[in-house]
Amino acid sequence: MKLELKGITKRFGSLVANDHIDLVVEPGQVHCLLGENGAGKSTLMNVLYGLYDPSDGEILVDGKPVVFKGPGDAMAAGIGMVHQHFMLIPVFTVAENVALGNEATKAAGFLNLDETRRRISEISKQYGFHVDPDALVEDLPVGVQQRVEIIKALVRDAEVLILDEPTAVLTPQETDELLDIIRQLKAAGKSIVFISHKLREVKEISDIITVIRRGKVVGSADPSASLRNSPRRWLAARSV
Ligand SMILES: Nc1ncnc2c1ncn2[C@@H]1O[C@H](COP(=O)(O)OP(=O)(O)OP(=O)(O)O)[C@@H](O)[C@H]1O
Ligand SMILES: [Mg+2]
């Protein structure tokens, strides 16, 4: 699925958090968003996920304009998001967390946990997640909790996955595991929007990089070209 943001602007009162941002996410592509604190990255993703109404601009899915009135609309269009702070309920099991709020696993108002467990095992096997559907979320390391969030999106058939600073909470080893997972998702044709401050990860994983500064796109690059040779210089030139 191809995703386009055109002229997205988001104002909070007099503050312009996003200022006419254009962004294209191609199918099977890892698109990295770079920018300092407060640059407007999460705001842009919240607009894309239907959490915020854009003040201006439009979103296109496979070339057709769409309007998301909430995350439910974004999910129905194939967009999933893992927030900076996870949205899991610690005292519930993995399967209960995944089943919650998912219409497809509800039967007559009840959570269909057997079907959810089956889907979790299937996805877990496909991508090497090693997640036990019956584990309590509070007993899981942060890296595994994050995979539960990713599974939540995949169970809902997400084609585009937004990961908002996913490595901020991870150990170096967990980060490497996540990068492997991202490679597998990409190989399966999913698109990833990956937000990060860390150059190493960005270089390692991204197909394209967009740099945002004070709400505006200030640069974009294919890391295999200019960035591979001199990422620091490239980024320094854009004051990242
Ligand atoms: N709900 C809101 N109401 C008012 N201002 C907001 C709101 N959300 C974000 N902002 C402001 O919009 C600007 C962009 O914030 P945003 O969270 O999008 O940045 P970010 O690039 O994700 O930063 P970080 O790296 O810290 O996560 C900031 O100045 C922030 O204070
Ligand atoms: Mg943010």
Side-chain angles (χ1 to χ4, degrees):
M1 139 178 179
K2 179 172 175 173
L3 199 58
E4 288 168 273
L5 303 183
K6 281 196 180 162
I8 293 290
T9 297
K10 179 64 187 175
R11 296 184 198 95
F12 296 109
S14 61
L15 180 105
V16 186
N18 291 158
D19 191 356
H20 296 91
I21 293 191
D22 294 328
L23 195 83
V24 179
V25 182
E26 302 281 356
Q29 190 181 59
V30 180
H31 194 128
C32 184
L33 274 189
L34 265 178
E36 60 208 12
N37 290 338
K41 308 178 296 292
S42 295
T43 300
L44 185 67
M45 293 302 109
N46 286 334
V47 167
L48 177 54
Y49 196 52
L51 283 163
Y52 292 153
D53 262 341
S55 314
D56 202 356
E58 61 176 355
I59 302 172
L60 292 93
V61 172
D62 291 328
K64 294 192 194 77
V66 290
V67 175
F68 298 147
K69 297 212 179 301
D73 289 350
M75 278 186 246
I79 299 169
M81 179 161 179
V82 178
H83 291 85
Q84 268 173 295
H85 306 287
F86 303 157
M87 307 280 187
L88 302 170
I89 299 171
V91 295
F92 282 11
T93 66
V94 169
E96 286 164 346
N97 269 282
V98 172
L100 272 178
N102 185 4
E103 294 304 320
T105 55
K106 263 188 210 163
F110 293 99
L111 299 180
N112 184 344
L113 284 179
D114 286 340
E115 171 63 7
T116 306
R117 269 195 210 98
R118 196 189 61 74
R119 292 281 284 132
I120 293 170
S121 301
E122 198 176 80
I123 291 170
S124 202
K125 205 166 152 196
Q126 183 181 356
Y127 296 107
F129 281 165
H130 304 292
V131 172
D132 171 8
D134 295 315
L136 278 184
V137 162
E138 65 185 358
D139 293 338
L140 299 173
V142 170
V144 181
Q145 291 188 15
Q146 187 174 60
R147 281 179 233 162
V148 176
E149 288 280 18
I150 295 173
I151 289 172
K152 268 170 71 180
L154 294 176
V155 162
R156 291 159 177 75
D157 296 322
E159 287 300 316
V160 176
L161 201 57
I162 303 166
L163 305 176
D164 194 351
E165 307 236 13
T167 64
V169 292
L170 301 181
T171 63
Q173 193 199 328
E174 287 173 331
T175 297
D176 286 339
E177 287 168 11
L178 176 68
L179 296 184
D180 273 342
I181 285 169
I182 291 176
R183 287 187 192 98
Q184 288 181 57
L185 291 167
K186 178 181 154 171
K190 312 279 183 195
S191 311
I192 313 285
V193 182
F194 181 85
I195 302 179
S196 172
H197 286 113
K198 298 176 192 160
L199 206 53
R200 176 184 80 85
E201 302 160 8
V202 170
K203 264 170 64 189
E204 219 174 283
I205 203 77
S206 54
D207 297 305
I208 183 160
I209 299 168
T210 295
V211 180
I212 298 182
R213 195 170 174 233
R214 292 194 197 128
K216 290 187 178 160
V217 173
V218 294
S220 144
D222 170 354
S224 62
S226 56
L227 200 66
R228 176 170 291 162
N229 299 325
S230 183
R232 287 192 189 282
R233 200 183 315 148
W234 187 87
L235 292 165
R238 283 152 187 86
S239 312
V240 177

